[in-house]
Amino acid sequence: MRIEDYALLSDCRTAALVSREGSIDWLCLPRLDSASVFGALLGTENSGCWSLRPADAAAVPTRRYDGDTFTLVTRWETPTGVAEVRDWMPVIDSDEDRTDVIRQIRGLSGTVEFRQEVRLRFDYARALPWAHQTGTAAAPELTTVAGPDAVVLRGGSLKAHGHAHSGSVTVGAGEEAALTLTWHPSYRPAPASLDVAEAAAHTRDWWHDWAARIDHHGHHGGHRHHDGVVRRSLLILRALTNRDTGGIAAAATTSLPEDFGGERNWDYRYVWLRDAALTLEALLEHGFTDSAGDWRDWLVRAVAGDPADVQIMYGLAGERDLVERTLALPGYENSAPVRIGNGASDQYQADVVGEVLVTLAAARTVGLVESQRSWAVERALLGYAETQLDRPDNGLWEIRGEPRMFTHSRVMMWAAFDRGVQAVEAFGLSGPVERWRAVRDRLRAEIDAHGVHDGCFVQHYETDEVDASLLVIPQVGYCLPDDPRMLATVTRIERTLMRDGLLMRYRTTSGVDGLKGEEHPFLACSFWLVEQYAATGREDEAHALMDRLCGFCNDVGMLSEEYDPVTGRQVGNTPQAFSHLALVRAADALAAARHRVR
């Protein structure tokens, strides 16, 4: 199954991936960064999955989301009839410690027999649960338990065969059947069955109420042509935001490969300060100031204490222990290793403070009132950054090679102190503005002297190579998009990093990242190029590239991290916040360009 063959279900606590063929092949419970109970995405069906499809092998599926929700509607046409399956995860207001997945079957015409097969494998398929029938003939129920986890399956009769359970459900026109999965802690009683109709209505209203607040027309005159993909991208960013903690995950998966069969497999189910900050910028541009407040509160909790202990990423509630480990799973298309945790959490990435300060400055600009605690944290982060001014870092791309003075990182440090100065001068906050201004000016002089070679910006101070991250430089106000150095940089990027019309992050053959193998064009980088084109009068090229990139979205609007233009496949973890937030930014840039033309 290709990566783009999956659709996302979400309750804003965790997420499931459902294949076109009706199999839930990825689900971690109870949180996005918990262990999986369905892990077939990274192994085989014996790694855990829940298949539900017509018994007739000739059945043909089509699918869509139900409006602005994550209720996936799959329509099955068979020789005997037509039916649909509605897969969704309830967003419920309850004090119960539970997570639910609902699979509703509805007969539309004729009769259709569905077969379901469930293989529950807890703890990333390392724990085979004990299963026993706990229901009645009239209300069948299967309970599975392993360690701290329990899952109850209701609504369909399931019989054991080996280590799987299977059964069938037949629906005629106008008939319905609901199959439910409920996770709960094994040391507590199983929660009662949900009222499916009531939960469905509440969940639909919850998503539609959130989507109704999307401001498409308050910024630069709207998006029109790309309105649909922008809307779905914003919904995906919301789905990746934990509604309890405010933490924003970088993606819903781990170890989907950047290089099929290679070692570039990473766990992205955590909160990168950078990715979360950039996600918030996209949400702020579309009216979600409250999201910035929630995340700012998360940030205050996560980085509490000594700013020298700040990490570039955390767990969804601010956990710090993200030790990288390898699992025995074979990996997606045998791309091992499968990793949980992320060793990059121990890296020093100098740009991160800049991204955080830039985003919180944008939040102030749109009216988010600074609290005493939040400004204290921002001041502490600037103090920490000041102590690290002369320290090489691992950069935006988390290289596992030698730390360098990456130009993008140095520009983001400049941006951090620039926003500190702005906070004092424009918003009346307290701080050592003269010192911050001096540091900002020192950084500019350094970047201009060492981050430019032959008239264009370079990847780091010891090379004449370029890097797609340099496209961010005008986005944070360091220079104008049509600065001669930026125009020269774009020309060089187009010449050396373009592959089949899409951008690579950097040349992996330069050896800067310390890893073996290749990777594919990184989608966010090409969206940055759209933004640069739009800002410098190359609107036809911007629109053409934007249309092509949006065409890489799957049928339900999802993008992964990278794209292989040779095989026409999505690559890397999915759905990727970085790709979707960059899509939103690019659409905003195109809308701004249209506004300027008027």
Side-chain angles (χ1 to χ4, degrees):
M1 197 68 62
R2 291 189 169 202
I3 291 169
E4 58 267 32
D5 288 331
Y6 287 94
L8 186 76
L9 311 180
S10 173
D11 65 355
C12 294
R13 285 177 177 150
T14 189
L17 291 184
V18 188
S19 76
R20 288 184 191 275
E21 295 300 316
S23 182
I24 299 179
D25 289 342
W26 184 250
L27 175 61
C28 298
L29 293 171
R31 233 170 56 169
L32 201 66
D33 54 355
S34 300
S36 67
V37 297
F38 297 137
L41 181 69
L42 298 178
T44 68
E45 62 181 15
N46 287 322
S47 306
C49 60
W50 183 8
S51 173
L52 178 65
R53 57 159 294 133
D56 193 319
V60 178
T62 56
R63 63 184 184 173
R64 62 178 175 84
Y65 282 124
D66 180 16
D68 290 327
T69 74
F70 282 89
T71 296
L72 181 69
V73 183
T74 304
R75 178 187 175 96
W76 292 93
E77 296 192 7
T78 77
T80 61
V82 179
E84 69 179 24
V85 175
R86 300 174 71 85
D87 291 321
W88 53 284
M89 300 183 71
V91 180
I92 54 177
D93 300 318
S94 171
D95 293 331
E96 287 185 296
D97 197 356
R98 66 184 295 165
T99 303
D100 299 89
V101 180
I102 313 295
R103 313 196 77 175
Q104 292 175 273
I105 308 169
R106 295 180 178 177
L108 302 179
S109 66
T111 61
V112 181
E113 180 189 0
F114 279 83
R115 294 276 299 169
Q116 69 164 324
E117 182 171 272
V118 185
R119 297 171 185 266
L120 283 155
R121 302 290 186 270
F122 294 4
D123 195 23
Y124 301 109
R126 294 180 294 188
L128 184 68
W130 173 61
H132 60 294
Q133 300 286 344
T134 52
T136 65
E141 183 177 284
L142 180 72
T143 294
T144 60
V145 177
D149 300 298
V151 166
V152 182
L153 294 159
R154 298 180 172 117
S157 180
L158 291 167
K159 295 183 179 180
H161 56 93
H163 295 305
H165 289 79
S166 61
S168 63
V169 179
T170 300
V171 292
E175 296 178 341
E176 292 192 14
L179 310 176
T180 69
L181 176 153
T182 302
W183 172 92
H184 67 96
S186 61
Y187 45 85
R188 292 180 181 163
S193 299
L194 287 176
D195 182 318
V196 172
E198 181 180 311
H202 182 272
T203 299
R204 180 182 173 85
D205 289 347
W206 191 91
W207 281 111
H208 281 182
D209 288 348
W210 189 88
R213 298 166 52 210
I214 295 175
D215 179 6
H216 278 305
H217 302 287
H219 302 275
H220 315 308
H223 298 287
R224 291 188 291 278
H225 181 54
H226 301 112
D227 196 55
V229 291
V230 169
R231 195 173 188 85
R232 179 49 60 178
S233 290
L234 290 167
L235 283 160
I236 287 170
L237 295 177
R238 180 63 187 93
L240 292 172
T241 304
N242 187 284
R243 61 190 170 98
D244 296 322
T245 70
I248 303 172
T253 58
T254 178
S255 300
L256 289 181
E258 298 170 13
D259 180 21
F260 293 120
E263 66 174 338
R264 296 169 183 262
N265 315 320
W266 315 110
D267 193 348
Y268 277 11
R269 298 170 298 155
Y270 306 117
V271 185
W272 270 251
L273 295 187
R274 173 195 307 110
D275 297 46
L278 293 171
T279 294
L280 275 181
E281 277 198 77
L283 291 173
L284 282 169
E285 279 293 305
H286 292 270
F288 292 98
T289 307
D290 58 335
S291 296
D294 291 343
W295 185 76
R296 191 182 65 186
D297 292 344
W298 177 94
L299 178 71
V300 169
R301 296 192 304 270
V303 305
D306 187 344
D309 296 331
V310 69
Q311 296 184 181
I312 63 154
M313 77 178 84
Y314 296 85
L316 289 171
E319 296 90 347
R320 292 170 172 266
D321 186 5
L322 305 181
V323 175
E324 187 171 293
R325 293 172 288 151
T326 299
L327 299 176
L329 289 167
Y332 177 84
E333 293 193 0
N334 293 312
S335 297
V338 170
R339 294 182 170 99
I340 56 173
N342 198 305
S345 61
D346 295 328
Q347 288 185 353
Y348 171 60
Q349 297 176 15
D351 65 300
V352 166
V353 172
E355 266 100 10
V356 170
L357 270 291
V358 165
T359 295
L360 294 181
R364 278 194 296 272
T365 301
V366 298
L368 182 66
V369 178
E370 199 72 65
S371 72
Q372 184 175 356
R373 288 184 67 202
S374 64
W375 177 239
V377 168
E378 292 173 60
R379 284 190 57 167
L381 289 173
L382 282 169
Y384 168 68
E386 194 171 354
T387 67
Q388 306 298 311
L389 281 179
D390 298 314
R391 180 181 175 186
D393 78 308
N394 297 91
L396 169 68
W397 307 127
E398 298 173 357
I399 64 150
R400 300 203 174 194
E402 190 71 23
R404 308 279 187 176
M405 289 291 206
F406 286 101
T407 301
H408 168 267
S409 296
R410 309 304 286 174
V411 168
M412 293 312 301
M413 290 187 81
W414 171 90
F417 287 96
D418 179 72
R419 292 340 186 250
V421 170
Q422 180 193 92
V424 175
E425 294 182 342
F427 293 90
L429 296 169
S430 63
V433 66
E434 293 297 334
R435 193 168 82 236
W436 289 347
R437 190 183 296 114
V439 172
R440 180 189 65 181
D441 294 345
R442 173 200 150 177
L443 283 164
R444 179 178 283 279
E446 174 207 296
I447 293 162
D448 289 349
H450 302 291
V452 180
H453 181 79
D454 285 342
C456 74
F457 292 104
V458 290
Q459 182 183 43
H460 60 81
Y461 290 177
E462 301 170 43
T463 186
D464 60 358
E465 296 267 351
V466 289
D467 186 304
S469 65
L470 300 171
L471 294 170
V472 174
I473 291 176
Q475 293 178 12
V476 298
Y478 184 84
C479 67
L480 294 173
D482 60 357
D483 184 295
R485 296 169 299 176
M486 273 308 304
L487 297 179
T489 303
V490 170
T491 299
R492 184 86 175 275
I493 285 173
E494 291 170 324
R495 188 172 72 246
T496 62
L497 298 184
M498 194 81 82
R499 179 184 294 177
D500 295 300
L502 304 173
L503 283 190
M504 308 295 292
R505 295 187 293 180
Y506 50 85
R507 287 197 320 120
T508 55
T509 53
S510 70
V512 70
D513 62 14
L515 295 168
K516 298 176 183 176
E518 287 286 336
E519 60 178 29
H520 298 282
F522 195 83
L523 290 170
C525 298
S526 294
F527 283 118
W528 292 342
L529 188 59
V530 170
E531 188 171 345
Q532 172 69 21
Y533 282 166
T536 53
R538 299 172 66 175
E539 288 186 57
D540 289 345
E541 291 165 282
H543 279 286
L545 181 54
M546 184 70 172
D547 289 345
R548 186 181 178 203
L549 290 166
C550 289
F552 297 153
C553 293
N554 72 355
D555 56 320
V556 290
M558 284 171 51
L559 285 173
S560 65
E561 182 181 22
E562 300 179 1
Y563 190 81
D564 179 359
V566 176
T567 62
R569 296 186 61 178
Q570 292 190 15
V571 183
N573 285 304
T574 195
Q576 180 81 6
F578 220 162
S579 298
H580 286 284
L581 68 89
L583 183 157
V584 173
R585 282 193 62 109
D588 286 343
L590 287 169
R594 285 196 299 272
H595 184 70
R596 285 195 301 272
V597 169
R598 293 197 197 100

